[in-house]
Amino acid sequence: MTNKTDDMYVGRRATIASFKFDENVAAVFADMIGRSVPGYGLTLDMIGIIASHYVKPGNRAYDLGCSLGAATLAMRHNVSDDCQIIAIDNSAAMVEKAREIVATDGAAAAVEVLLEDICQVEIDNADVVAMNFTLQFIAENARPALLQTIYSGLNNGGALILSEKIAAPGLAEQELLSTLHHDFKRAQGYSDLEIANKRNAIENVLIADTLDTHKERLHAAGFSQVFVWFQCLNFVSLLAIK
Ligand code: GEK
């Protein structure tokens, strides 16, 4: 995978434009997400392991908001050769790069990378749907319907892997988690200015829900079992089983 260093928010500037998944972000994305999301590498490893448990030979998995296809490849390397993975993203820059990365990957399972809005696609015959840090970018009022579509498209016993940045229920906890996340990013080599610039850029773009909201929404969509399998600071991954 491409690993150009993320230097997008170095330097002082008069105004900070809203964060967009454009070609500048796509070029540094692997480095950006790896240094910004504590536990990101582990979520990928576990998506592979969870997919190997749930995706039966000949069946299908989806990666919604695939970016460069990291979760797609984690699944591809852990499912049978006759499985199919459908990876979807609505950023043309991400999809272009994801297609290149998938083409140079040697695993056998078929992968299709689609340039689509995940709120408009059909999900069908899925044993696993992975949504690794994507729901947080979907308009809040569109989230219930998307989860409903995923639920309908999953096979019985199938799994949704939902990773998200979460909001804390109280102000004190929110402040502490934000401070520790800031410390994490500083330890990854980001300066205080870069961290502040990125925070401004992403403020109204990434809208985090509380863990309770996620759980309630997943139950409302019909999922019978919903539980957290991973948490580091305010980054959580849930498994929801149909
Ligand atoms: C990973 N899962 O590396 N339709 C399709 N894609 C969308 C939409 C939408 N409506 N909205 C946002 N995206 C990846 C990381 S990144 C997370 C996912 C992050 C896409 C957007 O273009 C971007 O590629 C992705 O969702 C979110 O495991 O940057 O924190």
Side-chain angles (χ1 to χ4, degrees):
M1 192 159 289
T2 41
N3 215 12
K4 203 164 159 268
T5 302
D6 169 24
D7 58 1
M8 280 195 60
Y9 293 101
V10 172
R12 215 164 279 286
R13 50 201 80 187
T15 53
I16 307 269
S18 270
F19 186 82
K20 272 204 223 75
F21 290 102
D22 58 15
E23 56 283 359
N24 298 322
V25 170
V28 299
F29 187 73
D31 181 65
M32 173 185 276
I33 193 162
R35 291 200 289 137
S36 302
V37 174
Y40 172 71
L42 181 61
T43 66
L44 292 177
D45 291 346
M46 288 306 301
I47 285 170
I49 289 168
I50 294 167
S52 76
H53 182 80
Y54 282 98
V55 184
K56 297 182 194 73
N59 281 6
R60 189 182 286 169
Y62 286 80
D63 178 8
L64 304 184
C66 63
S67 299
L68 302 183
T72 293
L73 293 192
M75 294 195 280
R76 191 186 202 191
H77 285 259
N78 283 281
V79 296
S80 309
D81 291 356
D82 57 357
C83 288
Q84 184 195 18
I85 300 166
I86 300 178
I88 304 169
D89 206 289
N90 69 348
S91 155
M94 289 290 193
V95 165
E96 190 187 329
K97 278 191 163 294
R99 285 178 178 153
E100 286 167 20
I101 289 165
V102 165
T104 56
D105 168 73
V111 174
E112 240 186 297
V113 185
L114 306 178
L115 177 61
E116 302 270 7
D117 180 346
I118 58 172
C119 297
Q120 306 296 327
V121 295
E122 231 185 277
I123 311 274
D124 184 40
N125 186 27
D127 279 353
V128 162
V129 175
M131 203 157 37
N132 207 33
F133 304 106
T134 299
L135 189 65
Q136 59 202 15
F137 295 106
I138 301 298
E140 282 170 283
N141 61 6
R143 294 177 191 183
L146 174 56
L147 292 180
Q148 193 64 65
T149 302
I150 293 169
Y151 181 80
S152 303
L154 275 167
N155 297 323
N156 283 332
L160 165 65
I161 306 162
L162 176 65
S163 310
E164 287 278 288
K165 183 175 188 180
I166 56 161
L171 194 59
E173 191 183 337
Q174 181 63 47
E175 275 177 10
L176 177 58
L177 289 173
S178 295
T179 301
L180 291 174
H181 181 222
H182 189 125
D183 293 346
F184 169 82
K185 290 188 73 167
R186 203 188 295 110
Q188 300 299 311
Y190 285 116
S191 69
D192 289 334
L193 181 61
E194 283 179 284
I195 295 167
N197 285 343
K198 171 78 180 283
R199 189 175 286 188
N200 287 339
I202 210 151
E203 204 175 16
N204 298 313
V205 179
L206 187 169
I207 309 292
D209 289 314
T210 63
L211 188 52
D212 281 349
T213 299
H214 282 296
K215 286 181 174 172
E216 281 161 21
R217 216 194 263 126
L218 288 163
H219 282 300
F223 288 97
S224 57
Q225 276 175 281
V226 173
F227 58 91
V228 171
W229 65 265
F230 168 82
Q231 178 160 11
C232 181
L233 304 178
N234 41 348
F235 294 83
V236 168
S237 192
L238 296 127
L239 201 52
I241 311 299
K242 177 162 173 177

